[in-house]
Amino acid sequence: MKAILIMLRGSLRKNKGAYISVFALMLIVSLSLAAVLTLLGSSRERDEELVKSCGFGNLMAFINIGAMEEQGESPERLAEKLRECADLVERVDEVPALYMNLHALNGTGNSSSSVTLLEASSPYVQYGVYDDRNRRIETPELKPGEIIAPVCFRTLYSCELGDTLYLGGAKTNYPFTVVAWFEDPYMGSAIMGVKTLLISSADRERLLAESAAEASETKEDDGSVIKNGCVISVFKKSSCGLSDVELERELNRRTSYTGYSWINLSRSQAVSYMLMFTNIFSGIVMVFIALLVVITLIVLSRSIGSSLELSYEDYGALKAIGVPQSYLKRALLLAYLGSCVLGVLLGMGLALPTVAWLNGVLRPITGLYLETKLALLPVLLSLGVLLLLMGVFLSVKLRKLRRITPVQALRQASGDVYFSSVLRLPIGKRLLSVSLAWRQFVSAKRQYLGSIVITALLGFFLVMVSGMYLWITDSRALTEVFSCEDYHLACSYADSEIQAEIEALIGERTDYVSYRSGSRYVLLNDAQLYCYVSDAPEHFTTVYEGRTCTYDNEVVMTPFVAEGFGLSIGDSVELSLNGRSAEFIVSGLYQSANDAGKTIAVSAEGYRRLTGEDFPFNGLRYTLADPDAAAELGELITERYPEDKAAAKGYRIMDEMDYVVDAVAAVTVLVYGITGIFVMVTVLLICGRMFAGEQRDYGIYKSVGFTQLRLRSQFAIRFLLVSLLGSALGIVLTALFGDLFVGAIFSNFGLSNVRLETELGALLAPVVFTAALYYLFSFWVSRKIRRVQPRILIVE
């Protein structure tokens, strides 16, 4: 044991650079892995805990009482029908609610997104309420005009406590002051379009009275209507073995309960929606971590190979004096594995503050207040598997010690033979440094192979992330994904005369095409889905297989829906709404991120065939020949017409998704930063080994007149070649597998047909970035050339 410790101490002293490099790489990998696993585990655990404890059941149906009464039904009778399904249902609650539009925040903007208003003191639901310092507080007794908002409003609308939001429409709206935040496990994610707000019982009574006294057609067109409603909350019986989705379909077969709701939500759906962003973020980082593990193994392999080559004579001499090979192997295994263990331990320690930082950054997006604690079991298991992998890999690589014999070591028979490659080119006087660098590169290309593979993997991921960032910031691409149509201007009018005036104004500025579109929820084979309705389905821009729903008996759907229901193009499905149903044929597949991809689309004629009524479109959408005119026209219409006569705005979905853009930008910066660290460690490790083996060469170069600057440049050019070759291979990998990878990541977001933006910038940025790092770091390491003097040849 003493002999092993002596050899271990000597190895640590001689190869400390290699062990520090391995330690740094394992630190980064373990830190990233522990943080992401903790984020995934704590997010799911927190949301699942909250959906069970907040007071709602397994299924929720948001009922518009007025619309239901028009069909001769009532919430009380519907709840009684559900209670009669005693083999499936434990309990049914009727939670009072109001539905309105969020008109504006701080007196500016016009979000027009739907909100559900619940009483903060309701005995049916209990939410966690927080102050502006993210401290849990008792639910305050709200005064009239006060409101509690989900924490995601801080990101969505740059809202802070004390700000004023307006519910209603342009003509009639009601101001409320935000006094606290609450944690909504069902609709609290910034990605979800529908939100819940908490008001006082006095405000609920006031709004109901206003609704009864002032309801009018003008207000309906204006979006100011206050709709009385309730949330039917269904609790599954403990003995029921059906999943939430299966329970919903079975209850629909017996009662058609979701046919009376404008939106329906289950616990499992809520969890998947709430964790959608977290899953996408974590998926990207986990793939990157997997690449980092592969890169770490490559670096370990290269480090061990270089160590054995440079210490070939020493190990041969130790064998010659009787030191067992097992002692040598144990000493090196302890050194490398010890560096890995130290890196993992420090990475776990640093993961805790990283998790705290991530929780703070993601809280306004996810809407969840997560505890700052490590998910110990999954973290320990994953890091244990990682260390086991490293141990096995090291044991296999250290078997090379068997090849070292005392005779070969004394004859120095392990050296490279320079300038012996079929790829060598003639040495040119003009580009002497470049040609010499190329000769040295091709003559010992095996020692650069690991660096090329590392650069290729990093380049592949950098191009991927750069392409995703370009795609997510492309207003046209993102608009198509969320709206199915590429429109630039949205307008609503009080009457047809104003519409004619404004369309004449638009026509003076640019040519245009107009159409109407909207959405509502319908039943497909007894399951409720988001349905997009358009009077011009030929303008759908995201149909990528089959064709659009041209005829009134056709429907297009996302591949998520098609796979979930086992459907393909040409199959028949049954759509139902308000007690009516009709058969439709699947005409094509399209892409939409609404409701996480659980969407279908029909034409306005198809909707009329299903319901017997025209769809209640509100306003028109315009595709402009000159898209840049949209913002200008929106401002001009707003200036000329009061809000109760006309409303218009240039539509860019990216403006409403800034938080997603910022998050992808953060991931991009993170990936580039970690890449920089890995490149630095790789270059320092390989350069150090290479320099130690080439000191005689530099002595020769200096003896024939090469300057120090030229030698350093020649040394750095070799790594520049490594970077360029690796980046080229990375671009090839992106071309082959990029779309497949992005589709797998964004399928969690309902996007299975995403295509990377392979603009010149997305390709050049990673190439320039890695090339600059390789050149600068290798040039910096080559400063050791100053210490080499021609007299080293005399010593040799």
Side-chain angles (χ1 to χ4, degrees):
M1 186 63 184
K2 184 176 180 180
I4 295 175
L5 292 177
I6 292 174
M7 286 184 287
L8 174 62
R9 186 167 61 247
S11 179
L12 290 174
R13 186 183 302 115
K14 185 174 183 180
N15 302 314
K16 57 181 178 293
Y19 301 132
I20 292 173
S21 299
V22 172
F23 164 80
L25 296 181
M26 290 299 295
L27 168 64
I28 296 171
V29 171
S30 60
L31 169 61
S32 305
L33 187 58
V36 170
L37 289 176
T38 297
L39 180 64
L40 279 172
S42 60
S43 297
R44 178 164 292 278
E45 180 183 343
R46 179 65 174 171
D47 201 54
E48 289 179 344
E49 172 191 346
L50 289 174
V51 295
K52 293 177 181 178
S53 64
C54 79
F56 281 120
N58 298 82
L59 303 176
M60 292 190 298
F62 292 74
I63 304 295
N64 181 345
I65 294 178
M68 194 175 193
E69 289 175 345
E70 290 177 1
Q71 302 172 44
E73 189 58 89
S74 70
E76 293 78 15
R77 284 197 295 270
L78 178 59
E80 191 58 36
K81 289 180 182 178
L82 289 168
R83 293 187 184 102
E84 290 174 0
C85 303
D87 57 323
L88 303 175
V89 175
E90 178 80 27
R91 173 172 116 237
V92 178
D93 290 342
E94 301 163 51
V95 184
L98 295 176
Y99 309 122
M100 295 184 70
N101 281 343
L102 173 61
H103 170 64
L105 193 53
N106 293 321
T108 61
N110 186 353
S111 62
S112 298
S113 61
S114 299
V115 296
T116 299
L117 303 179
L118 301 177
E119 291 185 29
S121 57
S122 171
Y124 294 100
V125 291
Q126 300 84 37
Y127 291 109
V129 180
Y130 296 81
D131 62 13
D132 58 345
R133 296 184 180 179
N134 301 317
R135 296 176 301 190
R136 179 74 180 265
I137 60 174
E138 293 293 328
T139 303
E141 186 174 340
L142 296 180
K143 301 174 184 177
E146 293 183 340
I147 200 165
I148 303 176
V151 68
C152 67
F153 271 35
R154 303 184 79 166
T155 297
L156 278 174
Y157 306 112
S158 300
C159 179
E160 295 297 338
L161 297 188
D163 288 351
T164 301
L165 62 82
Y166 294 85
L167 301 178
K171 186 175 181 180
T172 307
N173 54 67
Y174 306 90
F176 288 86
T177 302
V178 181
V179 297
W181 308 114
F182 78 98
E183 189 176 22
D184 183 1
Y186 282 92
M187 301 179 179
S189 171
I191 289 177
M192 299 182 71
V194 181
K195 294 291 179 289
T196 299
L197 297 168
L198 305 181
I199 59 174
S200 66
S201 57
D203 278 328
R204 170 178 161 76
E205 296 300 324
R206 175 173 66 94
L207 291 172
L208 275 176
E210 291 279 349
S211 173
E214 300 181 10
S216 66
E217 291 184 6
T218 302
K219 285 187 66 178
E220 287 184 10
D221 291 340
D222 177 52
S224 302
V225 162
I226 304 166
K227 299 173 184 177
N228 186 22
C230 73
V231 180
I232 301 292
S233 178
V234 181
F235 292 80
K236 182 169 63 176
K237 201 164 188 176
S238 57
S239 59
C240 176
L242 300 179
S243 68
D244 288 348
V245 175
E246 293 169 338
L247 176 64
E248 177 188 334
R249 297 183 69 176
E250 181 59 30
L251 290 178
N252 268 322
R253 291 190 186 99
R254 300 187 190 184
T255 68
S256 300
Y257 86 102
T258 58
Y260 300 105
S261 63
W262 65 277
I263 186 174
N264 190 63
L265 194 63
S266 68
R267 282 182 180 175
S268 57
Q269 284 177 317
V271 171
S272 66
Y273 290 159
M274 289 289 292
L275 301 182
M276 189 188 306
F277 184 86
T278 303
N279 290 337
I280 293 173
F281 172 83
S282 301
I284 294 173
V285 177
M286 286 295 285
V287 172
F288 189 51
I289 290 172
L291 290 179
L292 295 185
V293 171
V294 174
I295 291 170
T296 302
L297 293 176
I298 294 172
V299 171
L300 269 176
S301 176
R302 180 58 196 151
S303 174
I304 292 171
S306 299
S307 176
L308 295 182
E309 289 175 10
L310 293 176
S311 302
Y312 198 87
E313 297 175 32
D314 297 336
Y315 293 135
L318 288 172
K319 281 190 173 184
I321 61 175
V323 176
Q325 177 183 297
S326 60
Y327 282 21
L328 298 176
K329 183 176 181 179
R330 289 177 193 172
L332 288 175
L333 188 60
L334 283 173
Y336 279 106
L337 201 55
S339 301
C340 293
V341 171
L342 289 176
V344 165
L345 292 176
L346 185 57
M348 284 183 61
L350 294 177
L352 199 60
T354 304
V355 168
W357 173 76
L358 280 174
N359 287 344
V361 170
L362 296 178
R363 183 179 299 122
I365 300 175
T366 62
L368 297 173
Y369 287 82
L370 304 179
E371 293 185 34
T372 303
K373 62 178 183 179
L374 284 180
L376 277 179
L377 184 59
V379 168
L380 290 176
L381 284 175
S382 59
L383 293 181
V385 171
L386 179 62
L387 286 175
L388 180 62
L389 172 65
M390 294 298 168
V392 172
F393 181 80
L394 288 168
S395 296
V396 172
K397 297 301 293 185
L398 288 173
R399 292 169 61 187
K400 292 182 178 180
L401 284 167
R402 293 183 302 182
R403 303 175 188 174
I404 299 176
T405 63
V407 174
Q408 284 182 314
L410 294 175
R411 293 175 55 193
Q412 300 181 356
S414 64
D416 284 320
V417 179
Y418 289 100
F419 310 137
S420 59
S421 172
V422 295
L423 298 174
R424 63 186 181 186
L425 298 174
I427 297 175
K429 182 178 181 181
R430 290 185 178 181
L431 298 174
L432 183 59
S433 295
V434 175
S435 57
L436 284 174
W438 175 258
R439 279 291 188 96
Q440 289 176 308
F441 172 76
V442 298
S443 62
K445 49 188 174 294
R446 285 184 59 192
Q447 66 181 343
Y448 300 102
L449 183 60
S451 299
I452 293 173
V453 174
I454 290 172
T455 309
L457 294 175
L458 291 174
F460 165 71
F461 205 80
L462 288 179
V463 173
M464 299 281 297
V465 171
S466 299
M468 283 191 289
Y469 180 75
L470 289 175
W471 176 80
I472 209 76
T473 54
D474 182 346
S475 177
R476 178 186 177 90
L478 209 55
T479 299
E480 289 180 353
V481 162
F482 280 89
S483 69
C484 312
E485 302 161 322
D486 181 23
Y487 66 93
H488 310 108
L489 188 67
C491 299
S492 58
Y493 313 101
D495 54 55
S496 57
E497 291 183 6
I498 294 177
Q499 176 182 340
E501 291 178 13
I502 291 178
E503 289 187 345
L505 179 65
I506 297 173
E508 293 174 1
R509 179 66 173 80
T510 180
D511 294 332
Y512 67 89
V513 175
S514 65
Y515 44 84
R516 300 175 186 269
S517 57
S519 64
R520 72 160 303 163
Y521 285 85
V522 302
L523 296 180
L524 185 150
N525 292 353
D526 296 318
Q528 191 181 60
L529 295 173
Y530 180 97
C531 182
Y532 201 78
V533 183
S534 174
D535 67 353
E538 65 272 14
H539 289 289
F540 286 170
T541 55
T542 61
V543 177
Y544 65 91
E545 188 174 337
R547 59 179 177 80
T548 190
C549 44
T550 304
Y551 300 102
D552 66 356
N553 66 337
E554 293 180 335
V555 60
V556 294
M557 58 183 57
T558 62
F560 187 94
V561 174
E563 292 170 7
F565 286 88
L567 300 171
S568 57
I569 295 174
D571 289 347
S572 297
V573 297
E574 183 181 76
L575 299 186
S576 306
L577 184 64
N578 299 337
R580 296 173 61 108
S581 61
E583 191 174 89
F584 286 75
I585 297 173
V586 180
S587 64
L589 300 179
Y590 82 124
Q591 184 165 264
S592 173
N594 287 305
D595 269 32
K598 299 178 179 68
T599 72
I600 60 176
V602 298
S603 65
E605 290 78 11
Y607 180 86
R608 187 183 304 112
R609 176 172 170 268
L610 172 62
T611 64
E613 302 173 352
D614 291 332
F615 188 86
F617 293 115
N618 180 24
L620 281 88
R621 296 176 177 181
Y622 298 87
T623 299
L624 307 180
D626 180 11
D628 295 334
E632 178 188 339
L633 285 168
E635 293 174 2
L636 185 60
I637 295 169
T638 302
E639 290 174 2
R640 290 192 182 184
Y641 297 90
E643 286 187 341
D644 61 331
K645 297 297 183 182
K649 65 176 180 177
Y651 185 81
R652 295 175 72 248
I653 191 72
M654 192 175 69
D655 293 339
E656 301 176 6
M657 300 286 287
D658 283 342
Y659 57 92
V660 176
V661 175
D662 293 342
V664 174
V667 172
T668 304
V669 172
L670 175 67
V671 169
Y672 270 81
I674 294 178
T675 297
I677 296 174
F678 262 68
V679 169
M680 179 184 69
V681 171
T682 302
V683 169
L684 293 178
L685 179 62
I686 296 176
C687 283
R689 294 294 184 186
M690 190 176 298
F691 180 79
E694 295 179 356
Q695 290 193 65
R696 280 181 293 178
D697 299 340
Y698 296 122
I700 294 172
Y701 284 134
K702 281 194 172 185
S703 68
V704 296
F706 276 80
T707 65
Q708 176 181 295
L709 179 61
R710 173 167 286 189
L711 290 176
R712 294 184 66 183
S713 298
Q714 177 185 319
F715 187 84
I717 287 171
R718 276 187 275 169
F719 284 89
L720 184 62
L721 293 172
V722 167
S723 170
L724 294 176
L725 288 174
S727 296
L729 183 56
I731 291 173
V732 172
L733 290 175
T734 304
L736 294 175
F737 307 109
D739 289 337
L740 181 65
F741 167 80
V742 173
I745 291 294
F746 279 89
S747 61
N748 290 316
F749 206 28
L751 309 177
S752 55
N753 193 44
V754 175
R755 292 291 179 264
L756 274 178
E757 292 289 336
T758 53
E759 297 178 2
L760 187 60
L763 298 177
L764 285 183
V767 173
V768 173
F769 179 73
T770 53
L773 289 181
Y774 267 102
Y775 187 87
L776 291 174
F777 286 137
S778 57
F779 189 82
W780 180 73
V781 170
S782 66
R783 72 192 187 283
K784 296 179 181 179
I785 290 177
R786 293 178 297 182
R787 305 173 190 171
V788 178
Q789 300 298 328
R791 63 174 176 268
I792 192 175
L793 301 176
I794 302 174
V795 176
E796 293 290 341

